[in-house]
Amino acid sequence: MTIDRQPTAHLDPGRLSRGPNADSSILSSRGPGWHDDPISSLDQDRLGRASFAKHAARLIAETHTVDSSVVYGLEGPWGSGKSSVITMITAFLVPAKSSTDGAGDGVKEDGWRVVPFTPWATSGSEALLAEFFAALTAAVPEAGAAQGLRDKITGYAEIARPIAALIPGVGNGLVEASRTVEARLRKPWNIAFAEVADALRQLGTPILIVVDDIDRLQPVELLDLLRVVRLLGRFPGVDFLLAYDEQTLVETLQDPARGTVSTARARAFMEKIVQYPLSMPPLLTGKIVKMLDAGLTEIITPERVERGFDKPRFGRIVLTTMPSQLATPRAIERFLAQVREQFRIHDLNEMNDLDLILATFLRVQFPDLFAQLQRWRTELTRGATDWISYPSRNESGPNWDELLQKVEDVQDRQDARAALEALFPAVAERNPARAAAGRFAHPDYFDRYLAQSIPEGDIPDAVIARALAEAAAGNSEVLRTLILAEDDEQVTLALSKIRVRYPDIGQQWMRDQAPEGPASVELLAAGMALVNELPDRPGSWTSALEQTTYWMANLLRRLLDADPNTGVDAALEVCTRTRRRAHVVSAASGSLDGVDNDTREALLAALTHEADRLIPLLVADLRLGDDGDTDIGGSFLYSVVHDAGRLPELQAELQAGLAAEEFTVADVAARFVSFAYIVGGPVGAAPSSAAFAGELFTKVTGVAADSTDHNEHETWADTSWARRRRFAAKYVKSTGMTAEHTTDSSVKEADAGPDGDPS
């Protein structure tokens, strides 16, 4: 994976292919996991810090004197690699034994003794002092005259420990405390100190005591350590290297238990302790991006990168937001370890690779914000599809600042928002389109990223793919089980996952993003059988019948787009319910913008064929009068005939029937009344209003009439032909068929689905 220094990023499959092979989901050569261990030798330096370590070692060697003690401070944020730099400084200080010992042109100061002192591994002042003097003793050779020095250090320790316990604050009361202790000891404190100092001078061995991670200490423990460094352990020839995060150290020194201490005063205090502060070189953006690139290259296969990795979306985050947050080696490796584990535990065919990476980044860097996402599910996953447009709950849109309030720092808040925008189109855009299948922002997949698995009640994409593949081959058993299930939520979810695989042929942007489902005449026949059997729920936003109808319409368009000569009529006729079959054909031929001419002609031919089947059915229904089939009678079917250009043929049949008095104009008018239902109303509820398609009625019959919106909201329990004739009479202008009418827009309504007449 190679990331350009451009506004977008690309991933190099050639480089990826050089990684070790694992399986189709993950690549890794890093063993069982990340261990956060510092390097142990110079040849393990991956960050180019050896030069900095060499200069630090040279400073320590050149500044060293047998007559004084110097304190160096290695400053850097947590995880910046201070422990690894200490390893390299030590390597440069220790004389090289040969030209191949890895030290290269290291500092050749003979006799350096470097000993670690770990105060945070002890508990209490007594233990800390004991650990320090044990470290100092360990720096002294065991044989010869040095044995006397060891004894002197032990004797001095007996004096220093009670003195340290009596000093009320660093640098305060040393003389008074020592006098108090000296009254109980064999030797004054200053004489014991001088004896150790003289012995160290005579030894002539430069000693460096390394104290790593002093910012881990509690306030009292930190003060104990600084007592040692400032007053009790500064022997000539003994230098100190303290490693810490300055910000954390200053905050520790501002412990409220010690009274109010300003930041400036805390820093000034540390300046008295540390003579030479050495700041860790920060990771530059280019290096951070390179490390992320290398780490992700080991995780993601080149096939997955080329198949579906959104490189521009990733580039906007990896070149700006990630370097801002992942500024230390530890932060980068910790993040990559989490990504690696996520790629191990997930079936990656069920997730979006980039969203999985970004979700991991958000969870690792902003855990409090990530914990709030569930509460914002509706807002984060909102978006319009080609079949549903969600009304805006608030014209100004969601208040994302409310979600981001969990992030306190200004820069962190900006980075968190950038990550949210990369994951959720609704955060970046006021009127977003529905996110592609598999995305965190898609409502059908949102919970997967929170649960870090496929949660109970979800349907794996593999199940959907299997159902479609088998139905396309002629076996619709699994598909029927999904779509005809009793659990409405499961049916809605299954259809949602199916429909994203069948975007409209005119919407190329959706075809590029969504996984594509199979297309065959066998699948069309299986779907039309479902259209025939599904229950009608006209007041539902997510009617399974309506969703399946539009799925079949898109499938029909795709089949005829692939081959305009495909024989689809037999598959369409599997649905024996006239109105429902006509809805499929009408929806398929309804919008032909951007459609190939041959495809256009094939769709119009299918519509014409359907209209030719409808004309005798419509006339026969009129002849039945009040016994007519409400599934046949209705303005929608007349509109299909009109749209197919077969109106003259229908008009001729109607004129003949009217002339023979087989039916009346009022009977015809009744067929142009349609109904609407309250959205979300109970199943089987009566229509909430009715409308009259007067314009279409006039085109069909030549009788002048007015069209009306849905009105008469009070009740439509009676949908008989007689009631419809009375309603239509208000709007037909001939034969006295006119009436006053009113409209009421206070009731939220939805037009009928495939079993009702859309207005």
Side-chain angles (χ1 to χ4, degrees):
M1 177 186 294
T2 299
I3 303 165
D4 282 344
R5 307 287 242 136
Q6 302 296 327
T8 60
H10 74 273
L11 297 92
D12 181 5
R15 178 179 175 188
L16 277 165
S17 64
R18 294 193 291 272
N21 290 324
D23 55 33
S24 63
S25 301
I26 183 168
L27 292 176
S28 177
S29 62
R30 302 177 67 87
W34 168 62
H35 300 287
D36 195 24
D37 296 327
I39 64 173
S40 57
S41 62
L42 287 167
D43 58 7
Q44 294 176 342
D45 176 32
R46 295 188 302 122
L47 303 178
R49 299 275 178 74
S51 176
F52 171 78
K54 184 176 73 171
H55 288 301
R58 187 179 299 280
L59 172 66
I60 292 171
E62 292 177 348
T63 308
H64 177 75
T65 172
V66 296
D67 296 319
S68 183
S69 173
V70 181
V71 180
Y72 303 88
L74 184 60
E75 303 172 352
W78 284 344
S80 59
K82 297 187 292 295
S83 298
S84 294
V85 168
I86 288 173
T87 297
M88 291 189 284
I89 291 174
T90 301
F92 281 118
L93 281 175
V94 175
K97 295 179 180 179
S98 69
S99 60
T100 60
D101 64 354
D105 57 349
V107 179
K108 306 297 182 181
E109 182 75 24
D110 289 337
W112 270 102
R113 304 279 291 186
V114 180
V115 291
F117 169 37
T118 54
W120 45 267
T122 64
S123 178
S125 299
E126 286 287 318
L128 183 143
L129 266 292
E131 180 72 17
F132 169 74
F133 287 113
L136 182 59
T137 303
V140 178
E142 296 183 5
Q147 183 59 46
L149 175 54
R150 284 171 164 260
D151 294 338
K152 287 182 174 65
I153 293 174
T154 301
Y156 176 70
E158 295 178 358
I159 299 173
R161 285 201 297 269
I163 289 176
L166 292 172
I167 301 175
V170 177
N172 299 323
L174 176 60
V175 176
E176 292 78 1
S178 64
R179 286 173 181 169
T180 302
V181 174
E182 286 165 7
R184 306 196 307 267
L185 298 174
R186 295 173 298 170
K187 189 179 297 185
W189 168 81
N190 58 337
I191 293 177
F193 183 90
E195 289 178 352
V196 177
D198 289 341
L200 285 169
R201 288 191 187 94
Q202 293 173 15
L203 182 65
T205 299
I207 297 173
L208 180 67
I209 296 180
V210 176
V211 193
D212 198 1
D213 293 326
I214 71 171
D215 45 23
R216 293 190 188 184
L217 298 172
Q218 297 299 315
V220 173
E221 297 169 332
L222 176 60
L223 292 175
D224 286 340
L225 171 66
L226 297 180
R227 286 186 180 98
V228 173
V229 176
R230 184 77 174 89
L231 300 170
L232 303 177
R234 296 285 293 279
F235 296 103
V238 178
D239 296 333
F240 291 83
L241 177 59
L242 311 180
Y244 53 87
D245 171 35
E246 184 192 31
Q247 180 179 347
T248 303
L249 200 67
V250 167
E251 291 172 355
T252 302
L253 290 171
Q254 293 177 290
D255 176 31
R258 299 178 55 241
T260 302
V261 178
S262 67
T263 299
R265 185 170 178 80
R267 285 201 172 100
F269 172 71
M270 284 304 299
E271 290 174 3
K272 295 180 181 180
I273 305 294
V274 177
Q275 286 80 60
Y276 286 94
L278 305 171
S279 296
M280 289 283 293
L283 281 182
L284 301 180
T285 297
K287 185 65 176 179
I288 295 172
V289 172
K290 186 175 181 180
M291 291 178 68
L292 291 169
D293 177 18
L296 293 173
T297 294
E298 294 178 352
I299 298 172
I300 310 175
T301 63
E303 294 80 10
R304 295 192 69 84
V305 170
E306 289 306 305
R307 186 167 72 238
F309 206 87
D310 190 341
K311 301 165 193 176
R313 185 161 62 99
F314 181 57
R316 291 191 292 271
I317 295 297
V318 76
L319 297 177
T320 54
T321 306
M322 284 186 173
S324 173
Q325 289 294 315
L326 306 175
T328 67
R330 178 182 295 156
I332 294 171
E333 293 297 340
R334 177 171 174 260
F335 165 66
L336 290 174
Q338 290 290 314
V339 172
R340 188 175 298 108
E341 185 60 21
Q342 290 296 307
F343 271 63
R344 287 181 186 276
I345 66 177
H346 284 293
D347 180 349
L348 297 182
N349 294 319
E350 301 285 340
M351 311 289 283
N352 178 280
D353 289 352
L354 177 52
D355 277 23
L356 191 55
I357 292 171
L358 294 177
T360 303
F361 173 73
L362 199 66
R363 178 169 52 82
V364 170
Q365 296 303 121
F366 308 103
D368 292 337
L369 171 63
F370 192 85
Q372 296 296 312
L373 297 184
Q374 180 63 34
R375 294 178 52 232
W376 290 73
R377 185 183 193 277
T378 301
E379 289 78 10
L380 291 169
T381 60
R382 69 188 178 95
T385 69
D386 62 332
W387 67 93
I388 296 178
S389 295
Y390 290 104
S392 174
R393 298 176 180 82
N394 186 336
E395 291 185 359
S396 62
N399 181 10
W400 301 117
D401 289 338
E402 183 180 342
L403 173 59
L404 289 162
Q405 68 182 355
K406 289 290 183 180
V407 184
E408 296 179 357
D409 181 78
V410 174
Q411 182 60 54
D412 287 348
R413 194 176 300 119
Q414 293 175 355
D415 293 339
R417 176 151 192 154
L420 287 173
E421 289 178 347
L423 280 167
F424 303 105
V427 180
E429 306 170 30
R430 183 171 180 178
N431 297 304
R434 170 69 62 84
R439 288 280 307 274
F440 198 168
H442 194 290
D444 294 343
Y445 296 84
F446 182 87
D447 291 342
R448 294 185 178 186
Y449 292 87
L450 297 185
Q452 299 182 50
S453 65
I454 298 179
E456 183 179 356
D458 199 347
I459 303 174
D461 288 11
V463 173
I464 300 295
R466 174 193 165 200
L468 293 173
E470 291 184 359
N475 178 10
S476 62
E477 181 181 352
V478 177
L479 179 64
R480 291 178 60 81
T481 299
L482 289 172
I483 306 305
L484 298 177
E486 294 183 1
D487 188 331
D488 289 344
E489 291 186 4
Q490 288 280 287
V491 173
T492 299
L493 179 60
L495 282 168
S496 177
K497 287 177 176 288
I498 289 172
R499 289 210 55 194
V500 298
R501 289 167 166 75
Y502 295 88
D504 185 77
I505 58 175
Q507 294 179 301
Q508 186 63 43
W509 64 274
M510 289 189 69
R511 298 174 75 183
D512 289 341
Q513 291 186 59
E516 191 167 298
S520 72
V521 174
E522 291 79 5
L523 180 59
L524 180 64
M528 292 305 293
L530 291 170
V531 170
N532 201 60
E533 296 174 49
L534 283 167
D536 183 35
R537 295 178 180 173
S540 171
W541 279 119
T542 56
S543 163
L545 173 59
E546 185 172 358
Q547 297 300 306
T548 306
T549 295
Y550 285 102
W551 168 30
M552 287 299 100
N554 281 348
L555 176 58
L556 177 58
R557 286 165 69 92
R558 184 190 291 187
L559 286 170
L560 294 179
D561 187 53
D563 181 3
N565 295 318
T566 300
V568 296
D569 194 58
L572 291 172
E573 287 188 334
V574 170
C575 178
T576 59
R577 301 177 74 161
T578 301
R579 181 184 301 279
R580 296 187 179 191
R581 185 183 64 245
H583 262 282
V584 171
V585 178
S586 175
S589 59
S591 175
L592 300 177
D593 293 339
V595 175
D596 180 86
N597 284 335
D598 290 341
T599 305
R600 180 195 304 267
E601 292 301 320
L603 288 168
L604 290 176
L607 181 67
T608 300
H609 183 63
E610 188 64 34
D612 288 341
R613 278 188 293 213
L614 286 176
I615 292 174
L617 294 176
L618 294 174
V619 175
D621 170 74
L622 285 168
R623 291 190 179 114
L624 291 174
D626 286 359
D627 294 326
D629 184 357
T630 55
D631 187 54
I632 299 298
S635 60
F636 165 67
L637 295 181
Y638 285 86
S639 70
V640 171
V641 175
H642 172 269
D643 294 341
R646 286 294 195 260
L647 196 56
E649 289 80 359
L650 175 60
Q651 288 172 326
E653 293 288 341
L654 292 179
Q655 291 300 326
L658 289 170
E661 297 185 350
E662 296 174 327
F663 46 82
T664 66
V665 171
D667 290 327
V668 177
R671 269 62 179 176
F672 287 79
V673 175
S674 62
F675 300 108
Y677 298 80
I678 295 177
V679 174
V683 176
S688 61
S689 62
F692 178 67
E695 182 179 355
L696 179 61
F697 171 78
T698 299
K699 289 180 180 179
V700 171
T701 64
V703 178
D706 292 328
S707 293
T708 176
D709 292 332
H710 293 119
N711 57 48
E712 290 197 10
H713 298 282
E714 61 278 3
T715 178
W716 265 94
D718 177 11
T719 59
S720 65
W721 292 119
R723 173 73 191 279
R724 298 187 199 196
R725 283 194 296 273
R726 291 196 299 272
F727 179 77
K730 303 176 183 179
Y731 309 108
V732 177
K733 294 183 177 180
S734 65
T735 66
M737 296 177 63
T738 60
E740 295 291 326
H741 66 276
T742 60
T743 61
D744 182 357
S745 60
S746 62
V747 178
K748 182 180 181 182
E749 299 175 277
D751 288 342
D755 261 359
D757 291 317
S759 60

